[in-house]
């Protein structure tokens, strides 16, 4: 558990081996651990990644667990993420983790998986998505709906193109409408919010698991659509919640929703659990 | 360990203090520059206030300091060295600590041991012995009589009788304290529990119904109660209640220093503060009353749900020092269905 | 003859019955304390009071009630605050009903006798320092005045504690500040109880850049207090809420008093003196003393 069983808060160190600029405000960092094997994590878990002198922040593992490296995808929004965006190859960062729970991968086997990502919310889904594609025979169907506000906010563009070319996954890309009813010039995908796409395509609930992540408003509207209009049971809809965190391991008292600690009981939850939470996220 | 009882005569307390200083880092009540009672490190018994009066600050800082270094880092060539902080060098004796402060440690321990062992906190706890002094009278706003804890998690408690203290020992550490200075302690041969009961009756600290633990079922349904807004909006969001509280333990982690040298530290933080849950993207508790609600429910619903005891020992400091005198006990009683009227009268009619 | 409590309760009820306000902010008494309370139309008004423990500056609660029509009990302290807030464009005066009262002077909570005491009988040696300097105990500029007006004693001169600190040598003063600042726990109650610290994001909360380290210690603590005092320069109306709420009993308002005195002595300026008083730092006179420049 954790990184250093004797000194809980002393981090491991990792070196940046590659930086990919996904969008003007989003970068993916590939990390290598030189002091030992890389952390053994499961899809859905997160770590506290930091830069000495600046601070730590919570990022989910964005790469699948069977790679030698670890990848995180960071949006430049605050003090720590801005410092991450100034990192170069060879720079050293701090790491504590892996923390949190993970997607119940074994329970998803044999099901039809529908991934719904919004903007940077695609990052926690990516590891699981690759895992599923690499064990494609375990799943009956794999579909991806990936939406963003603008084209420049889509991440992992190079992989999306790869997915679109495959015949074992269907990909629907969507951008928010700018002017209602008008398509966006030069855009190859749909121009729509996600709920109307769902209500039009009507993916059947039978034998399906939905895994979604994005801005809270998107998660709520997608869930509303699935549960109220498409007959999904709340237990079929899975997501990962993001709350401000500091310790990441259940002590600093910051990330709770009611008596649920997002860093310990989550961040992966299904909607049956979420419906029982106090309305506080 | 079964309870053991001893007698310490009053004229031996000073000697106990002086001798303990050789073996322990002794923390006792004393006065600060502004005349406030405070847990400090007086070097002479003349500066010790061995009284039951409650200092404004609890004894929590001796397990969870307000600011402590978690990691020291230093660049060495192209490598960075990161070291944890040091464990305390000596055993600590909390001499004459209030019961509401002493009992708090056992309650807070539970979260610091939950799956991950918080070594800075637990290292201090392992080295600390409590020699508590029971209150002979209630403090200004306290309500320890409405919360179920007793002496169980406290190493040793002294009850003031005529000319002597009756000392109840509950743990191995408490017994070790007594054995170390055994010529100062006599084994108590009377009916100790009866003396303690009489003491508490006279002090007014006997437990009374309804106990605040019983508020939990109603609190679980009270999250959306219409009165939170009007009752808790006078909260100004400062950190006083949280910082004076013996059981509040929420903290922040911050880096100080440059990229090549500095420290990562832990500091107290307060959930009533505006920025506690605010990120660049979201703010789940966007109004002050929601932040106050979090504090109350954490103490009286969420913490007992996960760990058992209430996250409160009823010391009442949060009421005494609150700039707007919000009364957590009254609010728990109201939202917890133990009382019909909220503090200050009904706000939304009958 | 009605007591001040009864008159206040009647006045509040009338404001609701006449639909002049959505909320009434006053002081309630319960569980042995007097504390600020927000009341609505159907609230129980019987706990409304006004006594020598009515410390809080009720203007501090206006941001929470933004957009609503609010009636509030105002001492001299609150009225001066409202004058500054109005000059800074922060309130809609026509949405407020100022309920004036004859202020009996507040008892310094640190001098409050233990147990039951007849607060009304306590002489000025028990008062808060600001009350001794008060020029007018009957709330000026009130929309509604409740109770019998009282006479105002001649305001005291000078700032005793400030003078005591200034009489120290530089070394003594530095030692005094270090000692006081070592007691500060950075609860920020001083800032949050101050009605003129209304910035939605205070400099202490900034992190890009982070002006203030979060670690607690005398240097960082003094750093915070000095900057706050400077942000209040020419604005502080000396309600002493900051020092009253300090759990460590630090007289943090000494810093504010220095600046208030300087504004008074150099420029004849008193913050919030009237509804027409302009903010100090946006105006000048040609004969302002600038003797610190050349």
């Amino acid at each position: 558990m954790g990184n250093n069983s004797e000194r809980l808060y002393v981090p491991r160190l990792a070196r940046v081996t590659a930086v990919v600029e996904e969008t003007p405000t989003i970068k993916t960092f590939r990390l290598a651990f030189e002091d030992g094997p890389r952390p053994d994590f499961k899809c859905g878990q997160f770590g506290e990644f930091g830069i000495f002198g600046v601070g730590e922040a919570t990022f989910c593992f964005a790469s699948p667990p069977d790679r030698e490296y670890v990848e995180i995808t960071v949006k430049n929004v605050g003090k720590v993420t801005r410092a991450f965006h100034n990192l170069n190859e060879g720079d050293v960062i701090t790491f504590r983790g892996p923390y949190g729970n993970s997607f119940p991968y074994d329970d998803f086997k044999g099901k039809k998986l529908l991934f719904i990502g919004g903007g940077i919310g695609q990052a926690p889904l990516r590891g699981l998505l690759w895992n599923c594609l690499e064990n494609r025979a375990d799943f009956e169907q794999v579909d991806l709906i990936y939406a963003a506000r603008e084209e420049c906010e889509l991440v992992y563009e190079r992989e999306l193109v790869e997915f679109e070319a495959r015949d074992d996954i269907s990909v629907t890309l969507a951008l928010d409408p700018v002017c209602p009813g008008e398509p966006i010039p030069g855009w190859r995908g749909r121009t729509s919010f996600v709920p109307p796409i769902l209500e039009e395509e009507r993916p059947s609930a039978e034998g399906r698991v939905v895994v979604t992540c994005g801005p809270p408003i998107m998660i709520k509207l997608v869930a509303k659509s699935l549960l109220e209009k498409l007959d999904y049971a709340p237990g079929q809809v899975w997501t990962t919640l993001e709350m401000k965190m500091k310790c990441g391991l259940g002590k600093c008292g910051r990330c709770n929703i009611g008596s649920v600690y997002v860093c310990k009981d989550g961040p992966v939850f299904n909607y049956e659990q979420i419906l029982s939470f106090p309305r506080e996220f | 360990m079964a309870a053991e009882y001893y007698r310490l005569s009053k004229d031996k307390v000073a000697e106990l203090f002086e001798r303990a200083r050789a073996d322990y880092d002794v923390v006792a009540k004393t006065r600060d520059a502004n005349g406030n009672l405070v847990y400090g490190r007086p070097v002479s018994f003349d500066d010790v206030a061995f009284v039951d009066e409650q200092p404004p600050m609890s004894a929590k800082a001796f397990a969870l300091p307000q600011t402590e270094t978690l990691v020291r880092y230093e660049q060495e060539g192209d490598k960075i060295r990161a070291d944890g902080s040091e464990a305390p060098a000596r055993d600590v004796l909390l001499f004459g600590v209030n019961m509401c402060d002493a009992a708090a440690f056992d309650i807070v321990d539970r979260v610091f041991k939950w799956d991950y062992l918080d070594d800075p906190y637990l290292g201090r706890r392992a080295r600390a012995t409590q020699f508590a002094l029971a209150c002979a009278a209630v403090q200004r706003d306290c309500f320890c009589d409405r919360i179920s804890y007793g002496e169980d998690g406290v190493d040793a408690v002294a009850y003031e009788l005529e000319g002597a203290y009756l000392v109840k020992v509950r743990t191995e550490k408490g017994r070790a304290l007594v054995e170390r200075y055994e010529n100062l302690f006599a084994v108590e041969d009377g009916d100790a529990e009866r003396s303690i009961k009489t003491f508490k009756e006279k002090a007014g600290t006997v437990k009374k119904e309804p106990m605040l633990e019983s508020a939990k079922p109603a609190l679980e349904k009270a999250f959306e109660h219409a009165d939170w807004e009007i009752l808790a909006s006078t909260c100004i969001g400062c950190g006083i209640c949280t910082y004076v509280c013996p059981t509040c333990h929420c903290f922040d982690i911050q880096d100080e220093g440059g990229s090549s040298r500095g420290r990562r530290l832990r500091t107290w933080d307060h959930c009533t503060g505006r920025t506690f849950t605010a990120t660049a993207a979201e703010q789940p508790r966007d109004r002050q009353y929601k932040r106050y609600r979090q504090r109350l429910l954490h103490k009286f619903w969420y913490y007992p749900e996960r760990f058992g005891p209430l996250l409160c020992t009823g010391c009442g400091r949060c009421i005494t020092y609150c700039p707007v005198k919000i009364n957590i006990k009254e609010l728990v009683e109201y939202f917890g269905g133990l009382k019909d009227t909220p503090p200050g009268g009904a706000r939304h009619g009958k | 003859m009605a007591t001040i409590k009864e008159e206040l309760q009647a006045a509040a009820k009338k404001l609701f019955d006449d639909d002049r306000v959505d909320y009434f902010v006053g002081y309630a008494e319960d569980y042995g304390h007097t504390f600020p309370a927000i009341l609505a139309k159907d609230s129980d008004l019987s706990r409304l009071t006004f006594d020598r423990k009515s410390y809080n500056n009720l203007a501090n609660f206006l941001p929470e009630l933004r957009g609503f029509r609010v009636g509030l009990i105002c001492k001299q302290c609150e009225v001066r605050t409202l004058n500054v807030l109005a000059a800074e464009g922060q309130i809609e005066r026509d949405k407020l009903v100022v309920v004036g009262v004859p202020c009996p002077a507040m008892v310094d909570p640190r001098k409050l006798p233990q147990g039951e005491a007849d607060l009304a009988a306590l002489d000025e040696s028990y008062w808060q320092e600001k009350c001794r300097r008060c020029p007018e105990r009957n709330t000026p500029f009130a929309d509604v005045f409740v109770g019998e007006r009282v006479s105002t004693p001649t305001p005291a001169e000078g700032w005793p504690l400030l003078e005591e600190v200034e009489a120290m040598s530089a070394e003594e003063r530095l030692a005094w500040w270090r000692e006081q600042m070592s007691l500060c726990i950075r609860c920020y109650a001083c800032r949050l109880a101050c009605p003129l610290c209304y910035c939605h994001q205070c400099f202490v909360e900034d992190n890009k850049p982070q002006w203030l380290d979060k670690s607690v210690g005398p240097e960082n603590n003094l750093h915070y207090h000095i900057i706050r005092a400077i942000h209040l320069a020419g604005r502080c109306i000396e309600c002493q809420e900051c020092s009253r709420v300090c759990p460590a009993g630090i007289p943090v308002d000494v810093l504010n008093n220095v600046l208030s005195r300087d504004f008074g002595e150099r420029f004849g300026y008193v913050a919030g003196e009237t509804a027409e008083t302009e903010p100090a730092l946006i105006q000048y006179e040609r004969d302002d003393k600038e003797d610190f420049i050349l």
Side-chain angles (χ1 to χ4, degrees):
Chain A
M1 270 193 195
N3 37 268
N4 183 326
S5 58
E6 289 205 2
R7 314 309 296 275
L8 189 59
Y9 299 99
V10 178
R12 291 184 65 181
L13 302 175
R15 204 173 284 279
V16 175
T17 57
V19 180
V20 172
E21 194 174 304
E22 306 278 357
T23 78
T25 57
I26 301 176
K27 287 186 180 176
T28 294
F29 299 91
R30 185 170 289 191
L31 308 169
F33 286 78
E34 289 160 3
D35 62 351
R38 63 139 183 78
D40 183 18
F41 64 90
K42 298 195 173 71
C43 297
Q45 290 192 299
F46 67 93
E48 291 294 329
F49 296 83
I51 296 173
F52 274 138
V54 183
E56 296 176 316
T58 303
F59 303 118
C60 61
F61 293 99
S63 49
D66 58 357
R67 305 281 192 270
E68 308 130 31
Y69 52 78
V70 161
E71 282 180 336
I72 55 172
T73 299
V74 176
K75 188 166 185 182
N76 184 353
V77 291
K79 174 183 166 201
V80 175
T81 50
R82 179 176 67 178
F84 265 83
H85 273 244
N86 287 331
L87 290 173
N88 297 304
E89 276 181 40
D91 286 341
V92 169
I93 62 150
T94 69
F95 168 81
R96 292 190 295 111
Y99 298 137
N101 69 349
S102 53
F103 291 109
Y105 181 77
D106 289 334
D107 294 345
F108 291 173
K109 286 186 186 167
K111 301 268 175 26
K112 293 181 275 189
L113 291 191
L114 171 55
F115 289 85
I116 305 177
I120 185 144
Q122 183 66 3
L125 303 183
R126 178 180 179 240
L128 183 63
L129 180 53
W130 272 114
N131 229 12
C132 294
L133 287 176
E134 285 162 5
N135 297 280
R136 182 62 179 81
D138 284 343
F139 303 91
E140 216 195 287
Q141 193 173 317
V142 177
D143 301 299
L144 168 66
I145 301 176
Y146 180 38
R149 266 193 307 208
E150 302 172 274
E151 191 170 354
C152 61
E153 290 205 4
L154 291 172
V155 292
Y156 315 127
E157 182 64 69
R158 59 202 180 289
E159 291 174 3
L160 292 174
V161 168
E162 263 184 64
F163 295 157
E164 284 175 303
R166 291 170 72 131
D167 57 10
D168 56 355
I169 171 176
S170 82
V171 178
T172 306
L173 300 179
L175 296 182
D176 287 0
V178 176
C179 303
E182 273 185 38
I184 295 167
W187 168 236
R188 70 186 189 276
R190 308 268 309 247
T191 306
S192 172
F193 294 111
V194 174
I197 297 176
L198 291 173
E199 286 160 34
E200 192 191 298
E201 304 290 324
R202 306 198 66 79
S204 71
E206 165 122 27
R208 198 173 317 259
V209 163
V210 175
V211 184
T212 179
C213 185
I217 182 73
M218 188 206 98
I219 297 178
K220 286 176 188 163
L221 291 175
V222 161
K224 193 174 153 72
S225 199
L226 292 168
L227 300 181
E228 291 175 17
K229 305 247 174 75
L230 295 168
D231 270 338
Y232 278 70
Q236 292 176 264
V237 180
W238 290 82
T239 186
T240 161
L241 294 180
E242 187 184 305
M243 296 287 278
K244 185 168 180 176
M245 289 184 187
K246 284 284 175 171
C247 69
L249 38 80
K251 304 202 188 304
C252 74
R254 194 173 302 256
C255 69
N256 69 298
I257 305 171
S259 55
V260 168
Y261 282 71
V262 175
C263 66
K264 296 275 284 146
D265 306 310
V268 173
F269 295 103
N270 67 38
Y271 243 80
E272 193 175 339
Q273 295 169 292
I274 289 176
L275 290 174
S276 73
F277 295 168
R279 276 187 299 160
E280 203 181 39
F281 69 99
Chain B
M1 195 186 101
E4 293 170 10
Y5 303 89
Y6 300 90
R7 194 170 269 261
L8 170 71
S9 88
K10 281 189 178 170
D11 58 8
K12 297 272 190 252
V13 175
E15 192 184 335
L16 176 61
F17 173 83
E18 300 296 346
R19 285 172 61 185
R21 286 197 69 238
D23 305 315
Y24 296 89
D25 172 15
V26 179
V27 170
K29 290 178 194 172
T30 186
R31 300 261 164 208
D32 71 16
N34 287 347
N36 301 316
L37 199 59
V38 68
Y39 288 116
R41 292 178 161 90
V43 298
S44 149
F45 191 72
D46 291 337
D47 296 322
V48 172
F50 194 70
V51 293
D52 59 2
E53 189 190 327
Q54 185 190 74
M57 298 298 288
S58 76
K60 144 176 101 174
F62 298 97
L64 186 69
Q66 180 160 22
T67 301
E68 72 171 315
T69 302
L70 295 175
V71 187
R72 245 176 246 287
Y73 59 90
E74 187 150 0
Q75 184 120 12
E76 292 175 337
D78 70 342
K79 292 215 178 312
I80 300 182
R81 218 185 73 196
D83 299 310
S85 57
E86 278 124 36
R90 297 180 77 194
D91 287 337
V92 172
L93 176 62
L94 298 173
F95 188 85
V97 60
N98 283 70
M99 268 302 283
C100 45
D101 294 337
F105 290 109
D106 185 66
I107 295 172
V108 176
D109 282 355
R110 290 155 204 248
V111 69
F112 282 97
K113 285 182 187 164
W114 182 30
D115 289 350
Y116 301 97
L117 300 178
D118 189 299
D119 53 286
Y121 173 91
L122 294 170
R124 288 200 184 76
R125 283 286 290 129
R127 302 280 278 193
T129 300
Q130 304 144 358
F131 180 60
L133 178 60
C135 290
V138 297
Q139 307 286 329
R140 205 156 13 144
D141 296 294
C142 70
F143 52 96
C144 64
D145 56 341
R146 305 286 301 286
I147 303 189
S148 300
Y149 69 95
E151 299 102 356
D152 279 8
V154 179
D155 301 315
V157 190
Y159 292 91
E160 187 181 357
L161 305 177
E162 199 64 50
Y165 293 95
L166 173 58
V167 179
K168 179 172 178 176
V169 166
R170 292 296 289 121
T171 69
E172 297 290 345
K173 271 193 201 158
R175 181 199 278 165
L177 174 69
V178 168
E179 282 175 357
R180 217 167 196 161
Y181 310 107
E182 57 190 350
N183 70 323
L184 298 179
F185 292 90
V187 173
E188 173 65 15
D189 51 14
D191 184 349
E193 281 300 328
R194 202 170 84 178
S195 303
I196 291 174
K197 185 160 175 283
T198 307
F199 175 93
K200 288 182 180 173
E201 279 163 359
K202 200 156 148 237
T205 55
V206 174
K207 304 292 180 190
K208 297 170 190 65
E209 295 289 343
M211 299 298 275
L212 295 177
E213 283 86 351
S214 65
K216 182 165 169 286
L219 290 178
E220 290 174 20
K221 300 193 179 73
F223 193 87
E224 303 289 347
H225 197 297
D227 282 356
W228 283 108
E229 187 175 13
I230 203 168
L231 290 172
S233 282
T234 53
C235 171
I236 61 174
C238 70
I240 290 180
C241 56
T242 309
Y243 295 174
V244 299
C245 174
T247 54
C248 275
H249 54 268
C250 288
F251 58 86
D252 192 3
I253 298 179
Q254 291 274 326
D255 281 16
E256 256 175 35
S259 50
S260 57
R261 195 142 156 251
R263 54 185 190 144
R264 184 161 284 168
L265 43 91
R266 158 153 78 189
T267 62
W268 291 352
D269 206 345
H270 50 291
C271 62
T272 45
R274 187 185 67 82
T275 59
F276 192 69
T277 53
T279 63
E282 299 294 322
Q283 165 56 302
R285 296 182 196 135
D286 54 347
R287 295 280 306 282
Q288 188 60 39
Y289 77 86
K290 295 182 183 179
R291 302 189 273 266
Y292 184 80
R293 174 176 61 187
Q294 155 66 16
R295 184 162 189 276
L296 189 155
L297 293 180
H298 185 195
K299 289 180 165 296
F300 290 88
W301 166 13
Y302 312 151
Y303 199 87
E305 173 123 336
R306 300 309 295 245
F307 302 107
L310 296 182
L311 188 64
C312 177
T313 54
C315 74
R317 285 178 176 98
C318 54
I319 302 166
T320 309
Y321 299 103
C322 175
V324 298
K325 296 287 180 290
I326 289 193
N327 189 317
I328 198 170
K329 185 203 74 164
E330 297 271 329
L331 289 170
V332 167
E333 288 178 317
Y334 177 63
F335 288 114
L338 304 177
K339 228 177 186 173
D340 284 331
T341 340
R347 303 307 162 84
H348 284 127
K350 279 282 188 269
Chain C
M1 196 169 98
T3 63
I4 184 84
K5 287 183 210 182
E6 288 163 352
E7 291 197 56
L8 263 175
Q9 288 162 23
K13 182 168 189 307
K14 186 165 194 314
L15 286 175
F16 283 121
D17 288 345
D18 293 347
D19 193 28
R20 276 180 78 185
V21 298
D22 303 309
Y23 291 103
F24 189 85
V25 183
Y27 306 93
E29 58 180 348
D30 203 345
Y31 48 86
H33 287 292
T34 300
F35 53 91
I38 299 174
L39 299 155
K41 189 174 152 69
D42 52 357
S43 295
D44 170 11
L45 303 176
S46 66
R47 297 204 163 269
L48 259 182
T49 188
F50 184 69
D51 59 20
R52 303 186 92 183
K53 294 191 288 180
S54 300
Y55 308 111
N56 299 78
N57 187 321
L58 297 181
N60 199 30
F61 305 105
L62 291 179
E64 198 57 40
L65 297 167
R66 191 180 299 124
F68 290 105
R69 299 167 307 159
V70 178
L72 73 166
I73 298 180
C74 290
K75 312 187 286 287
Q76 165 85 229
C77 311
E78 276 84 352
V79 164
R80 281 183 71 191
T81 308
L82 293 178
N83 288 339
V84 178
L85 289 172
E88 294 177 355
Q90 295 300 318
I91 53 170
E92 293 171 273
R93 182 64 180 84
D94 57 357
K95 279 209 160 103
L96 297 179
V97 178
V98 171
V99 177
V101 282
C103 184
M106 299 297 131
V107 171
D108 187 332
R110 286 178 211 283
K111 295 181 181 159
L112 261 180
Q114 288 283 14
E116 294 296 315
D118 179 11
L119 297 185
L122 295 175
D123 69 27
E124 59 176 64
S125 63
Y126 287 89
W127 294 1
Q128 282 190 292
E129 187 57 43
K130 63 169 177 184
C131 298
R132 298 199 214 180
R133 305 174 46 76
C134 184
E136 177 52 66
R137 288 170 58 183
N138 301 293
T139 311
F141 317 122
D143 296 319
V144 172
F145 193 91
V146 169
E148 297 281 311
R149 286 168 199 273
V150 291
S151 62
T152 304
T154 314
E157 301 262 318
W159 309 79
L161 180 59
L162 175 54
E163 286 155 21
E164 196 186 310
V165 173
E166 287 190 315
M168 297 178 189
S169 69
E171 290 80 13
E172 286 170 339
R173 205 183 308 161
L174 182 61
W176 183 81
W177 275 114
R178 291 202 112 251
E179 195 174 51
Q180 292 297 320
M181 286 296 117
S182 67
L183 304 177
C184 170
I185 58 171
R186 295 271 279 288
C187 63
Y188 295 124
C190 43
R191 153 175 96 81
L192 291 157
C194 175
L196 293 170
C197 275
Y198 55 71
C199 286
H200 186 65
Q201 178 151 317
C202 174
F203 77 92
V204 305
E205 296 169 327
D206 286 338
N207 71 356
K208 285 197 292 186
Q210 188 157 326
W211 307 109
L212 202 58
D213 281 338
K214 301 261 162 130
S215 58
V216 178
E219 287 84 14
N220 284 349
N221 296 346
L222 186 60
H223 186 196
Y224 153 66
H225 286 283
I226 288 177
I227 295 179
R228 194 180 88 88
I230 290 177
H231 287 183
L232 283 164
R235 305 171 63 233
C236 169
I237 53 90
E238 299 120 39
C239 69
Q240 288 199 293
E241 273 292 273
C242 49
S243 57
R244 173 191 71 93
V245 301
C246 178
I250 300 167
V252 294
D253 58 340
V254 165
L255 289 171
N256 302 98
N257 294 343
V258 166
L259 293 167
S260 296
R261 184 195 59 190
D262 282 359
F263 273 91
E265 286 182 356
R266 283 180 184 281
F267 310 114
Y269 182 84
V270 174
E273 194 168 22
T274 71
E276 284 71 47
T277 308
E278 292 279 301
L281 297 179
I282 63 162
Q283 50 162 323
Y284 73 95
E285 301 298 326
R286 290 204 62 152
D287 59 357
D288 280 339
K289 292 197 208 119
E290 307 279 0
D291 52 8
F292 46 86
I293 294 178
L294 284 173

